[in-house]
Amino acid sequence: MTRYKLTIAYDGTKFHGFQRQPDMRTVQGVIEKALSKMTKGTHVEVYGSGRTDAGVHAFGQVIHFDYPGQMPAISMLKAINSLMPLDVIVKDSEIVDENFHARFGVKRKTYQYRVDCGYYTDPFKRFYTGHYQYPVDVDKIKLALQDLEGEHDFTSFAASGGVIENKVRTIYSATVKYVASENELIFEFTGNGFLYNMVRILVATLLEIGNGRRDVHDFLRLFEVKDRQEARGTAPASGLYLKEVFYE
């Protein structure tokens, strides 16, 4: 058995998330189906660095699997890509030590979130951005992002469907930039881990701060109250991208 580490990108629009589900089209399911063809029917279990929900995209999702037999990493990349649908691509392939684990070896991740600021929903962006039609003060958002950095209890920013009890996470970097040519806000968050829907809830809160509906330093209050109902909103899945996963 040979362990392969692959970096993949996908358009999540037509997927019911990354994780395999019965009778649902998922990223894990598509890749395992391709591997089954390559092994002539032998099931190969694929492990991801984490789950992404339905409609969420990825530039740099990382997976690993143990393949019966061995081929050069570049041959594995070409073989799988020849069997991929148009909304998935393998960007990189390498043979790794048997101790490597795509999920348990993760040290930090970077997520990107794109917001279309046009008044009307752009039909060509609707699957790839969130949408916020109200005016925002980017300087207020930048101030608020400073309060996110560091170790905090993110209970107020965890969706009810999550099962992880420890809600303490460390955010190493949180940024936003406005791209005038696209009329978009682009957020990026790098941390040691993220709770279920956490980035989407953070973005919804930041947009309300930028619009003046919340105090600039409302994150400090939300960390203390530990109440999901106080954060309220969740930005759409369509604007979220898993950008990069980091290991030792």
Side-chain angles (χ1 to χ4, degrees):
M1 301 289 277
T2 307
R3 183 158 295 189
Y4 290 86
K5 171 192 174 188
L6 270 55
T7 302
I8 62 174
Y10 49 86
D11 174 346
T13 304
K14 295 183 179 179
F15 285 106
H16 290 270
F18 175 83
Q19 188 177 25
R20 185 194 324 107
Q21 299 180 56
D23 303 318
M24 296 286 189
R25 185 174 187 262
T26 68
V27 180
Q28 182 184 24
V30 163
I31 295 172
E32 289 181 347
K33 183 178 179 180
L35 288 167
S36 182
K37 287 184 179 179
M38 291 168 58
T39 61
K40 295 181 169 43
T42 300
H43 177 70
V44 177
E45 184 89 8
V46 167
Y47 299 87
S49 67
R51 306 173 184 177
T52 53
D53 290 335
V56 174
H57 316 290
F59 299 130
Q61 172 73 282
V62 175
I63 65 171
H64 88 260
F65 53 84
D66 294 324
Y67 189 78
Q70 183 173 351
M71 65 175 76
I74 186 63
S75 298
M76 176 62 74
L77 181 150
K78 290 179 178 179
I80 294 185
N81 273 338
S82 71
L83 297 169
M84 285 296 99
L86 294 177
D87 47 5
V88 184
I89 188 171
V90 180
K91 298 170 66 177
D92 186 54
S93 170
E94 55 185 300
I95 295 173
V96 291
D97 183 86
E98 63 180 9
N99 293 320
F100 174 83
H101 198 286
R103 178 184 174 191
F104 299 125
V106 174
K107 295 303 177 185
R108 54 195 171 102
K109 294 180 180 179
T110 297
Y111 280 94
Q112 183 183 99
Y113 195 96
R114 294 173 54 193
V115 180
D116 175 23
C117 300
Y119 187 79
Y120 299 105
T121 300
D122 186 328
F124 299 105
K125 291 184 177 183
R126 70 191 191 280
F127 296 131
Y128 306 105
T129 62
H131 179 241
Y132 196 74
Q133 68 189 66
Y134 308 104
V136 294
D137 185 329
V138 178
D139 289 332
K140 284 185 178 181
I141 293 176
K142 288 180 177 179
L143 280 174
L145 284 167
Q146 294 176 21
D147 292 335
L148 281 181
E149 295 182 355
E151 184 179 88
H152 304 287
D153 187 322
F154 285 93
T155 298
S156 292
F157 306 95
S160 57
V163 296
I164 298 173
E165 291 187 14
N166 181 10
K167 303 296 197 301
V168 175
R169 296 292 183 274
T170 300
I171 300 295
Y172 303 117
S173 173
T175 64
V176 67
K177 64 179 178 180
Y178 175 67
V179 181
S181 60
E182 297 294 331
N183 195 18
E184 288 181 11
L185 289 170
I186 300 180
F187 294 88
E188 287 200 358
F189 305 88
T190 299
N192 64 353
F194 293 88
L195 302 166
Y196 182 49
N197 280 357
M198 176 173 154
V199 173
R200 293 165 59 190
I201 299 168
L202 291 175
V203 169
T205 306
L206 285 160
L207 291 172
E208 289 188 344
I209 289 172
N211 185 243
R213 302 183 189 193
R214 291 180 183 269
D215 181 78
V216 171
H217 296 291
D218 201 36
F219 279 120
L220 302 179
R221 179 185 69 86
L222 292 168
F223 291 145
E224 291 298 320
V225 298
K226 300 180 177 62
D227 184 352
R228 169 70 182 97
Q229 298 306 311
E230 287 291 312
R232 297 191 302 271
T234 305
S238 54
L240 184 61
Y241 298 76
L242 175 56
K243 182 178 181 181
E244 192 169 2
V245 184
F246 301 87
Y247 298 87
E248 287 289 359

